[in-house]
Every structure is written in structure tokens, then in C-alpha cells.
Amino acid sequence: MEEEYRYTEIEEKWKSKWEELGLNKAVDFSEKPKFYLLVMFPYPSGSGLHVGHCRNYIPADVVARFKRMKGFNVLHPIGYDAFGLPAENYAIENGVHPKMSTERNIATFGRQLKNIGLSYDWDREFATSEPSYYRWTEWFFEFLYKRGLAYEDKSFQWWCPHCKTVLANEQIIDGKCWRCDTPVEKKELKEWFFRITTYADKLVEGLDRIDWPDRIKSMQANWVGKSEGAELAFKGIGNDGNMYDIPVYTKRIDTIFGVTFLVIAPEYPLLSSLTTDENKEKVAQYVEEALRKIDIDRLSTEKEKTGIFLGTYAVNPLNGERVPIFVGDYVVYSYGTGVVMGVPAHDERDFVFARKYGLPIRVVVSPDGKDFEINEAYVDDGVLINSAEFSGLPSAEARKNLNKVIEEKGIGRSTVRYKMRDWIISRQRYWGAPIPVIHCPQHGAVLVPEDELPVLLPDEVDFTPRDTGESPLANDKEFVNTNCPIDSKPASRETDTQDGFACSSWYYLRYADPKNDTVPFDRKKIDYWLPVDLYIGGAEHAVMHLLYSRFYTKAMYDAGLIGFDEPFKKLLNQGMILGADHQKMSKSKGNTVNPDEMIKTYGADTLRTYILFIGPLESDAVWSIDGINGSFRFVKRIWNLFTDVSKLPVNRLMEEEREVELITDKYIQRITNQLENFKFNTMISSFMEWLNYLYKISQDKPDIMKTKAFRESSETFVKMIAPATPFLAEEIWHRFGYNESVHQSEWPAPKGIYKVEKTIIVVELNGKVKDKIEVPLDSVEEEVKEAVLQSKAISKLNIDFSKVNFIYVKNKLLNIVVKK
Ligand SMILES: [Zn+2]
Ligand SMILES: [Zn+2]
């Protein structure tokens, strides 16, 4: 007689029991080996948790539970990345204070996370907007400042004159404000910067020592963008007859004899000195338009390259030749020196520019050392020609020699450059961690004394945006007016707040010691828990958050605050969940899935199973109703079989027991292996197979259910699926007669009686045999595909795996079929 699966009742019951038991507490300094498993903490938005969060948090929870059963002392914490622009915009539009809306949203998130059965240590929860946390975010600002890693400087920012606000690049659409369609302007503002460039080399070098996806590592290396080149000064002849140094950076000094013009950025400080009176008006107009375009558009290779001749010339320091100076918006001031030496024969952009303005094109590098007719830029290395005494040298050697010559002559030097800029930390915003600085008319910027931290965000703030581009905090005279810490004379507080990425750059340390109110963390606890063993989160943070965190860690390491210089040993990126229409989920498309509703309809264990089963962790996956229904049926089958088994006596001996034992051993080995390798979807497949087996044999020979082997297999199954379906497993476990929690039981060890049998799979491409590979018998399609991707014979074929279908015949064949 089947018993109804009352998931809501079961889940509510165990949720509160587990809380009483304190099952998920991480114990400081326990003798057990530690395992620190971190997930990227959520921004507590008003729309609550979505299934994208589930894709990150559910697999992570499975690992945390698995590790606990394996005997690890697991730190699995959660908190909230709570400062940010949306809460402030919401306040402007609806008059709800960000503190209120954030608190409300955090309550919703907490309830949802608990409903899903995520096993966090809730005692360590915090939000970055709490004064007890941002006090230390401010402290870290001071820490970096004292180490010469924070400074104030002017920079150009996008500005909407209608909204009276600074805009980020992504808030500008076709040169207009995303909110009101007003054309944006550039405004020069004073900003605080973190000197992340100091760590450029270390940020690249450290990538070799961490187990991260290659894609993320190469994105970080590209972001840092290390390149070796030379800097040398051209002499500009100014409008006033004076000579001005115009430093030029180039990776291709071997093309120096091919320079036929210079182009300077519209922001270039010497621009007006280098412009003749008759060209001033034209140039000014061009510059104004150029400054309105965003950098990405200016640098785009598709865009037409434009420029204006300034009327003046510069002298090539190597051959004394005079070349015309242009201003052009394809040169960006923040990159290099803000000047490009135009070598049209050997640079595509310069070639287009030269053709457009009728400038000479001179070939100085050739593939074979012979002069040739040029129809497009020749950008490769080669042999130098038309280059005085350097003619005949290969490019690399010429670069070396030329670097030596410019250094000897004192006109330049070889340099290493980085694409990465210093990190602008200032935000002209209210809802962020204050920058703990006081501006004194006499002493300039002075740090707020450490014992006066935190600088509290005032609650009563007029959010009206200001003409000046300052933060709404500038409206609050009580906040602004203060005294200089040095001479106690009237001074004013910094009103900018810190970028939200400052808050998330050190949060993983705080979990080790979240309640400390004398230091940001106790070194002993850090030494015990850190670094993070496994970090799971979205690839959208490939450069910003993950790079900034590494920068903070390295600065702390150099200061002796911590004993490691890479914060996250292993990183996994989960894929996205797309809507049933294969589109990115969004409210406007109406294709979102609400986890609350799923839990109501199917229970949390089904939601968890489906999220694990939906596809390999790293790949995007498409949500489907059929899929979650399938998971629901599977979960109910677990319930039905094992509640039946729990009611039966164990009093039979049967020959078939040996087979059941072997099968049990097989799945212990297989599932443990899948979990250790984060193959959650194939793990669920293995459970399905195992369950099918138990159903089949119990139908064929009903008495088998009363044997010791069957009972043991059932209990092992329930124990092993506990990390995936914690509520269901706990309920059945107790029906088996156990009193302690299944989550406190030990992960089963294989007896080793099942020897993994191997089989040969034939791999075909469009029906033609390409390779034969050995895999464990009964491998599922995903496992075979993985083995195939490792095959050298297959990788030689350069197959685009995004454009193929697979036909798999178990234990025999995998045919890769290229889609037509
Ligand atoms: Zn606007
Ligand atoms: Zn002072």
C-alpha cells in the first residue's frame, strides 16, 4: 500500500529540526580537515531568488553535505552584497529608504534559501551594508591608502545633464542617457583610485598556481594586458614656436622609419598648444563631439577613423623627419601615452587613416627583405627595409637594437605596459561604504582616525541628484561639515562612497570571523579556514570581482596580514538557466521561473534534483516543465520503494543477494567519483539506473526486498542521495529506524568487490570511424563524450562541438554528426 509523498510536511518538519540540531555549524579549529566552500553571495534584489541562483547554490550545497559526510569540517557561509545602485534608484522613485528595502529583501532571500534546504552556517550571515561590516570596508580603504595603493586624481566621467548623474559605459545607448535619452557629456571629476596596476605582474603570475577554468584565467591575463614595447619622444613644434615633448609608446619600434604622421587623443593635454590658430575652431568642435562617444565605440575596428590636422608638425627622433600631427578619436588617452605614431604600411587602422587623408605610405618591413607594392597593411614581423643602418635586420633583432639606440641617445627606453588601468573606486552615490577621508583646506586629504571608524551613512538624506556630479551625501551639511583630525579646524568629509566591488573584495575573509569588532578578522581563524578550497559562481565576474579580490589578497599578503596570496584555490563557473523558449530569463519576456512556486508544486527535493540533472554544471541549460515533472516522478519512486522497504522484515537469504551487493558497490564507486568531479547530472543518472535496478529485481523476485543485501542497498542509496534530496532522505532514514540525522552519517566506502569492467567504444564522425576509446562498462552518454573530448585523434579533427549531434549506443558506439 503506497503512502502519499507529503513533501511540504516533510520539508517543514526537517527544516526546523535541523535548525535545533545546529547541523551546519562550522567549528573553528576543529581537528577535522577543513573545507571552505564559498558561493558568490547574492545582491538582495526586490525580485527575490531566481533559478539562476539555484544553479549556483544547489550544486554547492550538495558538495558541502558530501564533504561533511566524508568527515570534513565544512565552512559553507552566505551573506548579502547589499550596497548598490538599484536600491538607491528605487529610493529616488518610490521614497523607500534603501535600508528598508534592503532589509526586506534580505528577509525574503533568507526564507527562500532555507526553503531550498541550503545548509549554510547561518550564524555567520552578514550584509555588506551593515555598519559592523562596512566599518572594515572603510578600514581596508585606509589600509590601502597607507600602503600607497589609494590616491585621488581627476578623470573624465560620463554625465547626463538632465538626470544630473554620472553614468557608467553600459548606461549609455547611442551616446544618450539610458533613462532619459539626453545626449551625454564628459565631465571632469575628482575621483579616488586604487593602484591595482602595482600588482599587474603578480596578478598574471599567480594564475599559474590556481585551479581555475582556463577561459577565466586568459580573460584575466588579457585584462591586465601586459605588452613589451618602447617609449620614445617625438618633438612637437608648437603654435608658439616652442618645442614640446610628445612621448609615443609602440610595440613596433622596428617600424619607426615608416612613421608618416602622429595622431593624438582628443583629451591630450598639449592639444591646444599644438594647434595653429586657424585650425583652433575646427579642432575644438571635433574634440567636443569626440568626447561624447564612449571608449568602446571609439576603439571599434568597424568604425570609420576620422581626424583633423592641427597645422603643426613633430620630428621623428630617429631620422629627423617632420610629420604632420592630427587629433583623432580612435586614439584613447587612457591607453598608452594618448599618442599613436602613424605607420600606415604596417598597421590596419593607420593604413585606412592614411588613405583617407592622402598621407604617404612607406614600407619598412617586408616578408623577404625586398620592397613591394602595398595594397593593405602588412602587419607581421619581417625584414627591415628603407630603415638606414637597420635595413636587413629581422624585426625582433631590430627592436632590440633600436631599444639600445634610443636609450643611449637618451630619447626613449624599452618599457613594459599594461592595458589594465587603476581601479576607480569613487561612486557619486549614497548607498555604499563611505570613503573615510576628510578634506582640510590646509592638509588636503586626511584619513579619518581608525578609532573613529566607521564613518556612518546618515539615514536622513535628500536623494535629489545634484548639478555638480556629487553624491547625495553632499546635500547633508551635518555629514559634510566636520573638523580636520590634525588641527581640528573646519574641514569637510569626502562625500563619494566606495564601489560595491570594494565590499566584495574581502567578504570571504570575514566569514571566518564575522562577529569580530576589534579587527577585520583574527589571524588564527584565517590561518585555519583560508584560502577558500572551492568557489562556485557566475562567469560574469571573470575579471572585476575575481581580479579585485586577488588584488586585495596580494596587498594583505605583502603587508603580512595573511599568509597566502591567492584567495580561491579552485573555481567553478555554473552555466545559465535559459527559459523554456531558449532565451535568457527576464521578466519582460515572461519566461522566468519562480523557485517558490516550484517548491510549492513539487517540493524542494524535486527542484534540487532537477537543477542537478538539467545538464553539466558549466553549460547553459534550458528549463522545461517536462524536465521538472520527470524529476518529480523520480523522487516519488524513491519515496515509494524505500518507504515500502522500511516496513518489511529482514529475514530472507537468497542467492541473488550477491548480485545486489555487487551493484551497490558499483554505484558507491561511481557516484562518489562523480561527486568528487562535480558531475552532478551524471550522478543523478546513476541514481536513476540504480533505482531502476532495485525496482526490476524486486518485481522479478519480490522476496529479495526482505534480504539483508537489499536492505543495505536501500539504506546506502538513501544515505548517498541525502546531499541531493536532504529532506526526503532524512525522512526515509528515520523510517529505517535511525535516530541520528542522515546528514551526520558517514559516506559509504566501497567494498571493492565490484571491479570496474571496461569496454571499447567506437567513435565516428558522420558515420566514419575516427577512434576507439576505452571507458567503464555502462558509461552514460555524458561520460563517453567527456572521454572523447580527451582523445588526441578527435581533437586533431577540429570539430566545432556546438554544431553537432551525438548518437550513442551504450557500450558500443558514439557517432558525432555535424548538423547541416
Ligand atoms: Zn538622463
Ligand atoms: Zn587640517
Side-chain angles (χ1 to χ4, degrees), residues 438-440 446-449 452 482-489 491:
I438 292 167
H439 296 281
C440 166
V446 181
L447 289 182
V448 173
E452 286 173 27
T482 184
N483 297 312
C484 169
I486 298 170
D487 59 12
S488 304
K489 290 199 179 137

Side-chain angles (χ1 to χ4, degrees), residues 160-165 167 177-182:
C160 171
H162 178 257
C163 300
K164 294 172 185 163
T165 185
L167 298 170
C177 168
W178 64 298
R179 212 184 285 136
C180 71
D181 260 0
T182 307

Side-chain angles (χ1 to χ4, degrees), residues 163 278 316 510 644 716 720 767:
C163 300
E278 56 198 357
N316 184 332
R510 186 68 175 173
D644 278 355
T716 306
M720 290 180 72

Side-chain angles (χ1 to χ4, degrees), residues 428-466:
Q428 292 70 32
R429 284 289 162 187
Y430 164 69
W431 193 234
I435 291 176
V437 164
I438 292 167
H439 296 281
C440 166
Q442 207 185 337
H443 298 102
V446 181
L447 289 182
V448 173
E450 230 180 83
D451 57 7
E452 286 173 27
L453 298 182
V455 174
L456 284 172
L457 272 183
D459 283 342
E460 305 284 323
V461 167
D462 169 12
F463 289 107
T464 322
R466 297 165 59 90

Side-chain angles (χ1 to χ4, degrees), residues 558-744:
D558 284 352
L561 279 186
I562 53 176
F564 54 91
D565 73 339
E566 284 293 340
F568 315 123
K569 280 202 269 190
K570 184 176 177 66
L571 175 74
L572 291 177
N573 294 130
Q574 81 278 359
M576 272 194 301
I577 294 190
L578 305 173
D581 54 359
H582 294 240
Q583 303 288 311
K584 213 170 152 174
M585 285 192 182
S586 82
K587 281 229 173 93
S588 59
K589 286 192 204 114
N591 60 355
T592 57
V593 175
N594 181 339
D596 284 348
E597 269 169 43
M598 293 301 119
I599 292 176
K600 219 167 113 198
T601 317
Y602 302 100
D605 283 325
T606 294
L607 173 65
R608 293 173 63 108
T609 304
Y610 181 49
I611 293 284
L612 295 167
F613 190 52
I614 198 164
L617 180 69
E618 309 78 16
S619 316
D620 292 348
V622 177
W623 183 273
S624 99
I625 281 287
D626 288 347
I628 191 156
N629 278 320
S631 293
F632 189 47
R633 280 193 300 275
F634 168 61
V635 167
K636 274 196 293 192
R637 268 161 68 82
I638 299 173
W639 172 259
N640 291 339
L641 181 65
F642 298 130
T643 48
D644 278 355
V645 173
S646 74
K647 289 169 193 149
L648 296 172
V650 182
N651 57 11
R652 296 289 156 92
L653 288 171
M654 285 172 76
E655 246 172 61
E656 290 80 357
E657 279 187 88
R658 177 68 187 168
E659 184 192 300
V660 174
E661 273 178 43
L662 276 177
I663 293 291
T664 307
D665 208 46
K666 168 178 156 181
Y667 285 110
I668 293 175
Q669 293 178 33
R670 181 177 288 188
I671 290 167
T672 305
N673 188 278
Q674 286 162 335
L675 260 175
E676 268 160 2
N677 292 294
F678 317 107
K679 308 293 179 204
F680 305 102
N681 58 325
T682 54
M683 171 191 80
I684 296 290
S685 306
S686 298
F687 278 118
M688 289 172 171
E689 287 172 14
W690 187 1
L691 190 68
N692 283 344
Y693 170 79
L694 293 175
Y695 263 100
K696 175 120 196 342
I697 194 167
S698 60
Q699 271 151 14
D700 293 350
K701 307 198 184 284
D703 277 350
I704 193 84
M705 292 172 78
K706 296 179 190 162
T707 62
K708 190 161 164 281
F710 196 90
R711 177 68 177 229
E712 228 173 64
S713 195
S714 305
E715 290 187 5
T716 306
F717 185 107
V718 169
K719 209 193 268 194
M720 290 180 72
I721 206 162
T725 60
F727 300 102
L728 174 80
E730 186 78 309
E731 178 66 24
I732 301 171
W733 189 246
H734 280 73
R735 287 164 182 248
F736 281 150
Y738 295 96
N739 290 320
E740 77 277 22
S741 169
V742 68
H743 303 292
Q744 287 174 309

Side-chain angles (χ1 to χ4, degrees), residues 396-411:
E397 204 183 324
R399 283 194 286 269
K400 234 184 265 169
N401 289 5
L402 278 157
N403 280 342
K404 219 193 277 167
V405 167
I406 58 169
E407 267 168 45
E408 280 164 9
K409 286 192 173 172
I411 51 172

